[in-house]
Structure formats: structure tokens, C-alpha cells
Amino acid sequence: MTSPSPVTVPEPDLPVVAVVGERLPRALPVAAGVTPLEVLGGPSLAGGWAAAATARSAPTLPDAEAVVDHLLGLADAGDVAGLLLGHGPAPMPRAFAILRELARREPGRLPPLHFLDLLTLPHPTTTHYNRRRLQAAGAWLGTLTGVRPTDTALARAIEQETAEAGALAARDAARSRDDVGAPDATRVFLSGAPFGPRLLDDLARLGYRVVGDEPTAATLRMFAGGGDGVSDPWEVLARRWQLADSPSGRTAGRSRALWLADIARDRDSHLLVHVTSPVDESGPWLVPWLVDALAGTATSVVVLHLDDVAGGVDAEAAGQLEAAARGNGSPPVVGWAPAPVRRAPGRRRRAVLASGEDAGTHQRQWFADLRRRVEDGDPFVVVGADAPQEILRAMDVPYVVTQWWSSIVAAKQATGRYARALAARGYPTDVEPYSAQGLAAAVVGPDDEAPWGGLPTPDVVEATLGTPATYDLYDAWAGETGAEFLAFERSTDVRGSVDEPWWDLLPHHWYDVLEPVRLDLLEGELRAAVGRLERRTGRRFDPDRLRAVMDLVNEQAEHYRATRDLIARTRPAPVSVADTMPATMVPQWHRGSTWGRDAAAALHEEVRARVEAGQVACDGERLRLLWAGRGLWGDLGFYQQLEASHGAVFVWSMYLGLAADGYLRYVGDHDPLRALAARFLTMGDELRLPGWAGPWHVKEARTHGVDGAVAIDDADPFVVADLRAAGIPTLQLPVDNMGSTNAPAVTAALTRFVEDLATGEHDPYL
């Protein structure tokens, strides 16, 4: 969110470490005798509020791969002694994982590498975690210089930052004074995504006067945060990014919108120009809350979209700004949210498993019962798939998983209507649509056309902060419904390698494989969440009940392992993913229940019976395919379209594969909450993180004997690359799982791929 930082001029004889990311205390490398080389925009005190990019500094880098390319150039030039990464606008944990994997594959190419995983929720558990991570980073820096940062050196560096912050605050305050700039100019406050000097130049040329901006305000707030009444310098740094309700080193969600609105009003701004761009998935969710916060005031809201950070004000945007400026308190202008594209209807699948149909029938009855329970006064929670649902199961609190609801919306072809509702409210329609369908349901409200009667209004929404948009999306959801928001940190494994084969090690040895500092953090968060849930729901938590739930989950996963392995070794395949996906995922939403365990057992028994009876998914099977990425829940017939014509059977998807390998955590003599933390620490890594996902997908492809793989846009690029490197031809389709795959171009690409596999023409896919 901060503007680009200038490159630090190296001091003689001091090692230079590339410092990459926003959420990094520059005082730490300085205290360790290191010259920090600013590579990616971070909180810059000396650089001011819109420092231009330099030869070594990018205004922003939009994704992890761009960060990696930038750093590889530095490393290849041999100019840096180390790479220190922290969180930033790009997915920096992923960038670190890519670099870690490249260092493993190409020894000697990269200098020493470290990730400083500073987190942001305002919890004591986060402060403790941050402190331990800071001290580990200090020790790592000491290996480069021979000097570990002392308390005295760190305090001195922080004092220097405090002095610089005071100077920046004075410069910032001067911008809004009446005696600065043209007195009749339209006063503008800038918020949102990072921007470059061209935007400022264009605004000045058009006669606007920028009296404040979020990057500067956020930088000053960050450097002021955590220091009041704290003398320990490590504690100051540990708390720096822990502002109230802050997942990103500033305010967040609705509180961020209120904070920005307050500043804009205090500076007598005529316009609040909220910048959006492809590099910022967080800011777009604030638009409705900014509009609400400034309704009835003299400040109008204008959303300015930049295709890239270096962009400026084009003719259309200039007209929009002028119209808003003339309004002087008229309804805010929201230049945003085009009408969503209509999607072609999906194809129905041909079902062969009775257990899958039984699961679907059960799911409908369960949801109807849940709606009745909520209508009768039971509490209700909506929880993300990567957040710990087992606590809710143990407390007998009715809940729905966000992604399950999205799959129902997709299956009922309601995504277009829901997207239009989001757009009308001012929310984005192209940022995490798979997680936004519950928010859309809240925006639509009671609706006779809602799938399955509609989603009840939640009392609590829960999510793990796995993406830049997660906090703001769920916070908006809480704001629309009055729900309480329970957020969990998404910590990063900062070690130099991934334990393999993790799928064999984690079930029984999770306490040895996973970092204790990460287990401590999530276990502490779970304990705090239990207290909040007890207060909100009136239910009591019983550790013994959670242990029983954990045991049921493990039994369920054991049945899935048996089913997965049976399909892998059977030729021809007894079933395809068109059946195993719904037969797996419906019981997965009921993990920890006896019904979920029994449904998984029934799936295994039915598949085993088909194998013994010689029943197959496709007569004349000739090709076995792997599906990489999220499932096409609105078009399950996609997976069967080439069975009759080409003998091509999709035998693997992540759903049964992850159910078999991703959830097993045997409690043993350990605390069940700690074992639950171990289950969710790696959630998602197995599917998308380099070092985790690629080897697992290759293992699954080989054990299933696939001839090729098909992926969609959200599949991890390393997975695609690793599959191809293993000699498995892989087609990547330019669609997402919420879009339409029932299109002639997609069908033609898949058909051509299958025909090339049949004739041995693999080169384009390797």
C-alpha cells in the first residue's frame, strides 16, 4: 500500500541484502550491520510519499513470479549477499517458496535466503510469534555479518526511524495547509492501490491538489504503531504491523474505510479518489464502505482504475473526476463494476455411484434441517474451507463452508445474477468469486430464486487470511450481516526445505515435521476462538468431544485413502472424477460426524464392489487423465464428454486425493487443539505451494498411471511444470472454475489434446 522506496546507497564494506516487501522493519538489517537494498515498495520514511522508481527498484511487482524474476536478476549480477523477503502486495510467501525450490534445484545460484513472516492480527499470540520470527531473522542476518543485532543497536535504529517519521509527518501536514498550492483547486485525497508519479503529475496538470494520500498515512501509522509505552525494541517491531483490525500493516476492512473517510474529511477534501489496479485485491472491497462513510458529506468518492501502477488519468477518468468535482456533495460517483458476462449452462453428468447420489440427497435434507434449526434460534456460522471447522462440530454449532455454498450457486447457474448484485453494491466481481458467493447472498437478501432456499444470515464468519483479499471480503460480509468475524493468521514455513514425502510423514509425525512456532500460534488462536464462540453462541467447548471428532475425521480419511488407492491400481477405472468429486466432497463438508465417516466407508465399499464385478466408468478406456485445480461444479458433465468418443477418463482430482493425504493427523497423547492446528497449518500448501504441490501431483499421476493432465487457470504453475518435467503431457485451459467451460473453443482444445495423446503427439504439452 505504500509508495515505492528509493534504493539505499550501500555503505563501504557492509554486506548488501536485498530487502523485498512491505512488511519488513528496515531497522533490523541496519542493526545487524547490513545495508538494506530496497527492491520492492515498502514503508519508506526518507523517500516521501510518491518516490519514483529507480534502476533497482520497481514501483510494484504484480505477482510472485514477477518478484522472483526481479530477484533472480539481482542474484545473477552477484550484487547482494542475501535476500530477505517479507509480506507485500504480491503473494510473497509464494515468491519465497519458488526461490527456495529454485535454490534446491540449482545449488549455488542464489545467495542465502530468508523469509520474515510478520503477521498482523491484534492478538498476543501474533505478537509472540512476530517476536520469535524477528529474532530468528536477526540470527540469520548475523550469519552474513558475524554481528547479531543487539537491543542497543536495534533501539538506536528505531530512534532514527522515529526521527524520520516526524519529518515525514511535518511534510505531509504541510500539504493540506491553506497557504500551500492554489487556493481554488479541487482538493483530492488518494487511497487504494499503489500509484506512481504519473498519476500525481496528471492530477496537478488537470488542476487538482493532492492534500493527502493513504500510502503516507499508512506509513506514518505503521511506524507509530506498537511503540507507546514499550521499551523493548523487539516488542516495538513485533507490534508495528499489529494495528487494530489490521491484516496488512494499516487499518483494514470497514475500519480502514472509516479511517480513510475521517482523514479525507479532516483535510477538507472535495474528492476521495480510490485507486484500483490488478496488483491490489484488497482495496476494491472497500468501495461500498467508503461511499457509505462519506454519504451526505462534501466529499465525493471516485474509483479510478489503473491498468498498472505507472498509469495516469486518461480522458474518460478526467471526465469522471470533473463530474464528481462539480457535484459538491451530490451522490458519490462509482466508476466501476461492469456488468458480468453471462455464462453458458453446464452439462449434467451421468451418475454411476449410488453413494454419490445418496450423499446429494443427504445434503439437501441436511441443509433443509439446518435452515429450520437457524429459524428456531440456533446460532449459525459460515467458515472458509481452510479454517478449522472441527471446533464447530465439537460444539454442535450449525455451519456451512463458504466454498460448498459457492459450488451450489455455480451448479444452479446463479453466479451471473449474484455477480450483478455484487456489482450494484459496488463490490468487485472478478476478485475471488469462488469465495464471494456468500457475500452476494447477503447483498441479495431474502430471495425466492436463491439456490436451495438461500443461505441463512450468519452469526459468525470465519476465515484464514490466505490471500490479500480474504480479510476485506469476510469483513464486508460481516458488515452486511452483523456477524462477528473470526480471522486466523496464515503463517509461512520459513525453513529451507519441505519434508518429503510429507503425505507419509504428516499423519503420525506432524509434531516433528511442522515448525513448533507455527503450531504454537495457531493453537493459541484456536483457544481464543473457542472463547469467542462460546460467548457468541452460548455453546460450551469440550476437549474430549473434539478428540472424538478428530478420530472420526481420521477414520473418514482412511476410507478415502483406501478408495483412492483402489482406483489408482485398477485398470480400467471403475469410476471417474464426475462421481468421486461429489461423493467425496459432500461428506467432507461433514467431517467429524458419524454420517461423514460412514459415507466415506460406503463410497469405498461401492467402488470395491464395482471392481469385483468388473464394472467400469468407460467401456473401451484408452486414456487416463488427471484434473489439476478446482473442480467444475457447474459443469460436471465436462469430465465425461470424451469417454464414449475417445475412451478418455478423468481418474484423478484433488478432491479425493487431498481427502486421502491432506487431513490425517493422529492425536495420540497430544492436545486435540494442537493436532487440529497441525491439520490446518498446511491447508492449501499441498495444492499450490512449490515444494509441496508439485511432487505430490507427480506422485498421484504416476500411481494412477495417467496418460495426461488437464489444468485450468487457478492450477499452480509449478504443478503444471512438474507434471510436464515428469513426462506427463499437460494441457492448461484459459478458464476458471466459476466460468464457462461449455464453450466450443474449450471443447475443441480438450478434444485436440486427447487426440494428440492417442497419436503420441505430446510435444506441445511437455
Side-chain angles (χ1 to χ4, degrees), residues 1 30 57 89 95 121 127 160 191 208 244 292 337 424 435 536 545 551 553-554 592 617 624 628 646 693 747:
M1 233 13 208
V30 169
S57 176
L121 291 175
T127 305
Q160 178 60 36
S191 65
Y208 297 97
D292 289 351
S435 298
R536 181 78 181 202
R545 174 61 186 145
D551 290 343
V553 175
N554 288 331
R624 294 165 70 95
H646 294 75
T747 299

PDB file of all heavy atoms in Angstrom, residues 1 30 57 89 95 121 127 160 191 208 244 292 337 424 435 536 545 551 553-554 592 617 624 628 646 693 747:
ATOM      1  N   MET A   1       0.820  -1.189   0.000  1.00  0.00           N
ATOM      2  CA  MET A   1       0.000   0.000   0.000  1.00  0.00           C
ATOM      3  C   MET A   1       0.854   1.238   0.000  1.00  0.00           C
ATOM      4  O   MET A   1       0.406   2.321  -0.237  1.00  0.00           O
ATOM      5  CB  MET A   1      -0.805  -0.014   1.281  1.00  0.00           C
ATOM      6  CG  MET A   1      -2.270   0.148   1.139  1.00  0.00           C
ATOM      7  SD  MET A   1      -2.845  -0.031  -0.469  1.00  0.00           S
ATOM      8  CE  MET A   1      -4.194   0.963  -0.336  1.00  0.00           C
ATOM      9  N   VAL A  30      19.705  -2.905   9.548  1.00  0.00           N
ATOM     10  CA  VAL A  30      20.630  -1.828   9.920  1.00  0.00           C
ATOM     11  C   VAL A  30      21.321  -2.166  11.233  1.00  0.00           C
ATOM     12  O   VAL A  30      22.537  -1.999  11.389  1.00  0.00           O
ATOM     13  CB  VAL A  30      19.876  -0.486  10.013  1.00  0.00           C
ATOM     14  CG1 VAL A  30      20.762   0.576  10.663  1.00  0.00           C
ATOM     15  CG2 VAL A  30      19.429  -0.029   8.626  1.00  0.00           C
ATOM     16  N   SER A  57      14.758  -0.483  -8.334  1.00  0.00           N
ATOM     17  CA  SER A  57      13.519  -0.563  -7.567  1.00  0.00           C
ATOM     18  C   SER A  57      12.324  -0.535  -8.503  1.00  0.00           C
ATOM     19  O   SER A  57      12.266   0.277  -9.412  1.00  0.00           O
ATOM     20  CB  SER A  57      13.428   0.614  -6.591  1.00  0.00           C
ATOM     21  OG  SER A  57      12.211   0.600  -5.904  1.00  0.00           O
ATOM     22  N   PRO A  89       2.595  -6.474  -1.480  1.00  0.00           N
ATOM     23  CA  PRO A  89       1.409  -6.501  -2.338  1.00  0.00           C
ATOM     24  C   PRO A  89       1.318  -7.761  -3.182  1.00  0.00           C
ATOM     25  O   PRO A  89       0.235  -8.235  -3.490  1.00  0.00           O
ATOM     26  CB  PRO A  89       1.575  -5.255  -3.224  1.00  0.00           C
ATOM     27  CG  PRO A  89       3.019  -4.903  -3.135  1.00  0.00           C
ATOM     28  CD  PRO A  89       3.481  -5.355  -1.795  1.00  0.00           C
ATOM     29  N   ALA A  95       6.427 -16.329  -3.489  1.00  0.00           N
ATOM     30  CA  ALA A  95       7.708 -15.961  -4.091  1.00  0.00           C
ATOM     31  C   ALA A  95       8.857 -16.635  -3.341  1.00  0.00           C
ATOM     32  O   ALA A  95       9.809 -17.145  -3.954  1.00  0.00           O
ATOM     33  CB  ALA A  95       7.880 -14.443  -4.074  1.00  0.00           C
ATOM     34  N   LEU A 121      -2.721  -9.665  12.961  1.00  0.00           N
ATOM     35  CA  LEU A 121      -3.913  -9.592  13.799  1.00  0.00           C
ATOM     36  C   LEU A 121      -3.554  -9.102  15.196  1.00  0.00           C
ATOM     37  O   LEU A 121      -2.492  -9.440  15.730  1.00  0.00           O
ATOM     38  CB  LEU A 121      -4.590 -10.956  13.866  1.00  0.00           C
ATOM     39  CG  LEU A 121      -5.231 -11.428  12.559  1.00  0.00           C
ATOM     40  CD1 LEU A 121      -5.764 -12.848  12.708  1.00  0.00           C
ATOM     41  CD2 LEU A 121      -6.356 -10.488  12.124  1.00  0.00           C
ATOM     42  N   THR A 127       1.773 -11.286  18.496  1.00  0.00           N
ATOM     43  CA  THR A 127       2.941 -10.558  18.991  1.00  0.00           C
ATOM     44  C   THR A 127       4.064 -11.525  19.355  1.00  0.00           C
ATOM     45  O   THR A 127       5.237 -11.315  18.997  1.00  0.00           O
ATOM     46  CB  THR A 127       2.566  -9.719  20.224  1.00  0.00           C
ATOM     47  OG1 THR A 127       1.469  -8.867  19.907  1.00  0.00           O
ATOM     48  CG2 THR A 127       3.749  -8.870  20.678  1.00  0.00           C
ATOM     49  N   GLN A 160      16.192   6.370  15.013  1.00  0.00           N
ATOM     50  CA  GLN A 160      16.418   7.072  13.755  1.00  0.00           C
ATOM     51  C   GLN A 160      15.157   7.052  12.893  1.00  0.00           C
ATOM     52  O   GLN A 160      14.783   8.054  12.283  1.00  0.00           O
ATOM     53  CB  GLN A 160      17.580   6.427  12.993  1.00  0.00           C
ATOM     54  CG  GLN A 160      17.865   7.050  11.635  1.00  0.00           C
ATOM     55  CD  GLN A 160      18.233   8.519  11.737  1.00  0.00           C
ATOM     56  OE1 GLN A 160      18.891   8.937  12.690  1.00  0.00           O
ATOM     57  NE2 GLN A 160      17.794   9.316  10.767  1.00  0.00           N
ATOM     58  N   SER A 191      -6.544   7.194  -2.104  1.00  0.00           N
ATOM     59  CA  SER A 191      -6.496   5.954  -1.328  1.00  0.00           C
ATOM     60  C   SER A 191      -6.428   4.786  -2.288  1.00  0.00           C
ATOM     61  O   SER A 191      -6.522   4.940  -3.503  1.00  0.00           O
ATOM     62  CB  SER A 191      -7.734   5.833  -0.427  1.00  0.00           C
ATOM     63  OG  SER A 191      -8.915   5.699  -1.213  1.00  0.00           O
ATOM     64  N   TYR A 208      -5.984  19.683 -10.020  1.00  0.00           N
ATOM     65  CA  TYR A 208      -6.336  19.117  -8.719  1.00  0.00           C
ATOM     66  C   TYR A 208      -5.145  19.240  -7.767  1.00  0.00           C
ATOM     67  O   TYR A 208      -3.982  19.184  -8.186  1.00  0.00           O
ATOM     68  CB  TYR A 208      -6.732  17.651  -8.858  1.00  0.00           C
ATOM     69  CG  TYR A 208      -7.961  17.446  -9.703  1.00  0.00           C
ATOM     70  CD1 TYR A 208      -7.850  17.108 -11.054  1.00  0.00           C
ATOM     71  CD2 TYR A 208      -9.233  17.615  -9.169  1.00  0.00           C
ATOM     72  CE1 TYR A 208      -8.978  16.936 -11.844  1.00  0.00           C
ATOM     73  CE2 TYR A 208     -10.366  17.440  -9.945  1.00  0.00           C
ATOM     74  CZ  TYR A 208     -10.232  17.110 -11.285  1.00  0.00           C
ATOM     75  OH  TYR A 208     -11.339  16.948 -12.059  1.00  0.00           O
ATOM     76  N   ALA A 244      -5.117  -2.213  15.171  1.00  0.00           N
ATOM     77  CA  ALA A 244      -6.438  -2.804  15.396  1.00  0.00           C
ATOM     78  C   ALA A 244      -7.088  -3.165  14.066  1.00  0.00           C
ATOM     79  O   ALA A 244      -7.121  -2.361  13.136  1.00  0.00           O
ATOM     80  CB  ALA A 244      -7.321  -1.818  16.163  1.00  0.00           C
ATOM     81  N   ASP A 292     -20.518   4.720   1.815  1.00  0.00           N
ATOM     82  CA  ASP A 292     -21.389   4.871   2.986  1.00  0.00           C
ATOM     83  C   ASP A 292     -20.809   5.872   3.979  1.00  0.00           C
ATOM     84  O   ASP A 292     -21.541   6.693   4.550  1.00  0.00           O
ATOM     85  CB  ASP A 292     -21.578   3.520   3.677  1.00  0.00           C
ATOM     86  CG  ASP A 292     -22.437   2.556   2.867  1.00  0.00           C
ATOM     87  OD1 ASP A 292     -23.021   2.987   1.857  1.00  0.00           O
ATOM     88  OD2 ASP A 292     -22.488   1.363   3.237  1.00  0.00           O
ATOM     89  N   ALA A 337     -17.201  -1.683 -11.770  1.00  0.00           N
ATOM     90  CA  ALA A 337     -18.085  -2.855 -11.792  1.00  0.00           C
ATOM     91  C   ALA A 337     -18.909  -2.965 -13.073  1.00  0.00           C
ATOM     92  O   ALA A 337     -20.110  -2.691 -13.087  1.00  0.00           O
ATOM     93  CB  ALA A 337     -19.014  -2.864 -10.581  1.00  0.00           C
ATOM     94  N   ALA A 424     -23.757  -4.068  -8.310  1.00  0.00           N
ATOM     95  CA  ALA A 424     -24.672  -2.973  -7.982  1.00  0.00           C
ATOM     96  C   ALA A 424     -24.358  -2.372  -6.621  1.00  0.00           C
ATOM     97  O   ALA A 424     -24.557  -1.169  -6.403  1.00  0.00           O
ATOM     98  CB  ALA A 424     -26.114  -3.474  -8.017  1.00  0.00           C
ATOM     99  N   SER A 435     -15.097 -17.354  -3.429  1.00  0.00           N
ATOM    100  CA  SER A 435     -15.355 -17.129  -2.009  1.00  0.00           C
ATOM    101  C   SER A 435     -16.397 -16.050  -1.760  1.00  0.00           C
ATOM    102  O   SER A 435     -16.775 -15.828  -0.609  1.00  0.00           O
ATOM    103  CB  SER A 435     -14.044 -16.735  -1.297  1.00  0.00           C
ATOM    104  OG  SER A 435     -13.090 -17.772  -1.373  1.00  0.00           O
ATOM    105  N   ARG A 536     -20.466 -15.992  21.855  1.00  0.00           N
ATOM    106  CA  ARG A 536     -21.404 -15.612  20.805  1.00  0.00           C
ATOM    107  C   ARG A 536     -22.540 -16.623  20.648  1.00  0.00           C
ATOM    108  O   ARG A 536     -23.686 -16.245  20.372  1.00  0.00           O
ATOM    109  CB  ARG A 536     -20.652 -15.471  19.470  1.00  0.00           C
ATOM    110  CG  ARG A 536     -21.509 -15.051  18.295  1.00  0.00           C
ATOM    111  CD  ARG A 536     -21.800 -13.566  18.309  1.00  0.00           C
ATOM    112  NE  ARG A 536     -22.655 -13.170  17.191  1.00  0.00           N
ATOM    113  CZ  ARG A 536     -22.739 -11.952  16.693  1.00  0.00           C
ATOM    114  NH1 ARG A 536     -22.007 -10.988  17.211  1.00  0.00           N
ATOM    115  NH2 ARG A 536     -23.539 -11.678  15.681  1.00  0.00           N
ATOM    116  N   ARG A 545     -14.765 -34.088  23.457  1.00  0.00           N
ATOM    117  CA  ARG A 545     -15.618 -34.159  22.274  1.00  0.00           C
ATOM    118  C   ARG A 545     -14.810 -33.844  21.010  1.00  0.00           C
ATOM    119  O   ARG A 545     -14.983 -34.492  19.968  1.00  0.00           O
ATOM    120  CB  ARG A 545     -16.790 -33.192  22.418  1.00  0.00           C
ATOM    121  CG  ARG A 545     -17.676 -33.073  21.190  1.00  0.00           C
ATOM    122  CD  ARG A 545     -18.323 -34.384  20.813  1.00  0.00           C
ATOM    123  NE  ARG A 545     -19.047 -34.277  19.551  1.00  0.00           N
ATOM    124  CZ  ARG A 545     -19.147 -35.240  18.653  1.00  0.00           C
ATOM    125  NH1 ARG A 545     -18.582 -36.411  18.872  1.00  0.00           N
ATOM    126  NH2 ARG A 545     -19.818 -35.054  17.547  1.00  0.00           N
ATOM    127  N   ASP A 551     -10.910 -38.112  15.791  1.00  0.00           N
ATOM    128  CA  ASP A 551     -10.816 -39.549  15.477  1.00  0.00           C
ATOM    129  C   ASP A 551     -11.731 -39.907  14.304  1.00  0.00           C
ATOM    130  O   ASP A 551     -11.363 -40.697  13.425  1.00  0.00           O
ATOM    131  CB  ASP A 551     -11.190 -40.380  16.707  1.00  0.00           C
ATOM    132  CG  ASP A 551     -10.134 -40.301  17.806  1.00  0.00           C
ATOM    133  OD1 ASP A 551      -8.994 -39.889  17.502  1.00  0.00           O
ATOM    134  OD2 ASP A 551     -10.457 -40.650  18.963  1.00  0.00           O
ATOM    135  N   VAL A 553     -12.688 -37.904  11.905  1.00  0.00           N
ATOM    136  CA  VAL A 553     -12.084 -37.351  10.687  1.00  0.00           C
ATOM    137  C   VAL A 553     -10.997 -38.282  10.167  1.00  0.00           C
ATOM    138  O   VAL A 553     -10.897 -38.543   8.958  1.00  0.00           O
ATOM    139  CB  VAL A 553     -11.524 -35.943  10.943  1.00  0.00           C
ATOM    140  CG1 VAL A 553     -10.791 -35.427   9.696  1.00  0.00           C
ATOM    141  CG2 VAL A 553     -12.627 -34.970  11.329  1.00  0.00           C
ATOM    142  N   ASN A 554     -10.173 -38.792  11.061  1.00  0.00           N
ATOM    143  CA  ASN A 554      -9.105 -39.698  10.635  1.00  0.00           C
ATOM    144  C   ASN A 554      -9.670 -40.989  10.041  1.00  0.00           C
ATOM    145  O   ASN A 554      -9.161 -41.492   9.027  1.00  0.00           O
ATOM    146  CB  ASN A 554      -8.186 -40.018  11.820  1.00  0.00           C
ATOM    147  CG  ASN A 554      -7.320 -38.839  12.211  1.00  0.00           C
ATOM    148  OD1 ASN A 554      -6.976 -38.002  11.382  1.00  0.00           O
ATOM    149  ND2 ASN A 554      -6.958 -38.770  13.487  1.00  0.00           N
ATOM    150  N   GLY A 592     -15.933 -35.260  10.706  1.00  0.00           N
ATOM    151  CA  GLY A 592     -16.078 -35.344  12.149  1.00  0.00           C
ATOM    152  C   GLY A 592     -17.429 -35.829  12.611  1.00  0.00           C
ATOM    153  O   GLY A 592     -17.667 -35.956  13.816  1.00  0.00           O
ATOM    154  N   ALA A 617     -15.970 -47.238 -15.555  1.00  0.00           N
ATOM    155  CA  ALA A 617     -16.523 -45.914 -15.853  1.00  0.00           C
ATOM    156  C   ALA A 617     -16.769 -45.748 -17.337  1.00  0.00           C
ATOM    157  O   ALA A 617     -17.711 -45.059 -17.754  1.00  0.00           O
ATOM    158  CB  ALA A 617     -15.569 -44.834 -15.353  1.00  0.00           C
ATOM    159  N   ARG A 624      -6.173 -42.284 -19.592  1.00  0.00           N
ATOM    160  CA  ARG A 624      -6.486 -41.884 -18.217  1.00  0.00           C
ATOM    161  C   ARG A 624      -5.950 -40.471 -18.015  1.00  0.00           C
ATOM    162  O   ARG A 624      -4.796 -40.178 -18.343  1.00  0.00           O
ATOM    163  CB  ARG A 624      -5.860 -42.852 -17.212  1.00  0.00           C
ATOM    164  CG  ARG A 624      -6.462 -44.258 -17.278  1.00  0.00           C
ATOM    165  CD  ARG A 624      -5.600 -45.272 -16.553  1.00  0.00           C
ATOM    166  NE  ARG A 624      -5.601 -45.099 -15.099  1.00  0.00           N
ATOM    167  CZ  ARG A 624      -6.403 -45.774 -14.263  1.00  0.00           C
ATOM    168  NH1 ARG A 624      -7.289 -46.635 -14.750  1.00  0.00           N
ATOM    169  NH2 ARG A 624      -6.333 -45.585 -12.973  1.00  0.00           N
ATOM    170  N   ALA A 628      -6.133 -31.023 -12.700  1.00  0.00           N
ATOM    171  CA  ALA A 628      -5.370 -30.202 -11.752  1.00  0.00           C
ATOM    172  C   ALA A 628      -6.106 -28.890 -11.525  1.00  0.00           C
ATOM    173  O   ALA A 628      -6.369 -28.142 -12.471  1.00  0.00           O
ATOM    174  CB  ALA A 628      -3.966 -29.932 -12.287  1.00  0.00           C
ATOM    175  N   HIS A 646     -13.757 -41.045 -27.278  1.00  0.00           N
ATOM    176  CA  HIS A 646     -12.302 -41.193 -27.297  1.00  0.00           C
ATOM    177  C   HIS A 646     -11.772 -42.134 -26.217  1.00  0.00           C
ATOM    178  O   HIS A 646     -10.567 -42.346 -26.134  1.00  0.00           O
ATOM    179  CB  HIS A 646     -11.628 -39.825 -27.123  1.00  0.00           C
ATOM    180  CG  HIS A 646     -11.849 -38.877 -28.266  1.00  0.00           C
ATOM    181  ND1 HIS A 646     -13.048 -38.235 -28.460  1.00  0.00           N
ATOM    182  CD2 HIS A 646     -11.022 -38.473 -29.270  1.00  0.00           C
ATOM    183  CE1 HIS A 646     -12.950 -37.451 -29.534  1.00  0.00           C
ATOM    184  NE2 HIS A 646     -11.736 -37.581 -30.044  1.00  0.00           N
ATOM    185  N   ALA A 693       3.250 -28.971  -3.629  1.00  0.00           N
ATOM    186  CA  ALA A 693       2.224 -29.406  -4.567  1.00  0.00           C
ATOM    187  C   ALA A 693       2.778 -30.229  -5.723  1.00  0.00           C
ATOM    188  O   ALA A 693       2.195 -31.252  -6.094  1.00  0.00           O
ATOM    189  CB  ALA A 693       1.481 -28.184  -5.114  1.00  0.00           C
ATOM    190  N   THR A 747     -13.951 -26.995 -25.640  1.00  0.00           N
ATOM    191  CA  THR A 747     -14.182 -28.378 -26.071  1.00  0.00           C
ATOM    192  C   THR A 747     -13.212 -28.770 -27.177  1.00  0.00           C
ATOM    193  O   THR A 747     -12.662 -29.883 -27.181  1.00  0.00           O
ATOM    194  CB  THR A 747     -15.628 -28.543 -26.553  1.00  0.00           C
ATOM    195  OG1 THR A 747     -16.517 -28.254 -25.468  1.00  0.00           O
ATOM    196  CG2 THR A 747     -15.886 -29.957 -27.047  1.00  0.00           C
TER     197      THR A 747
END
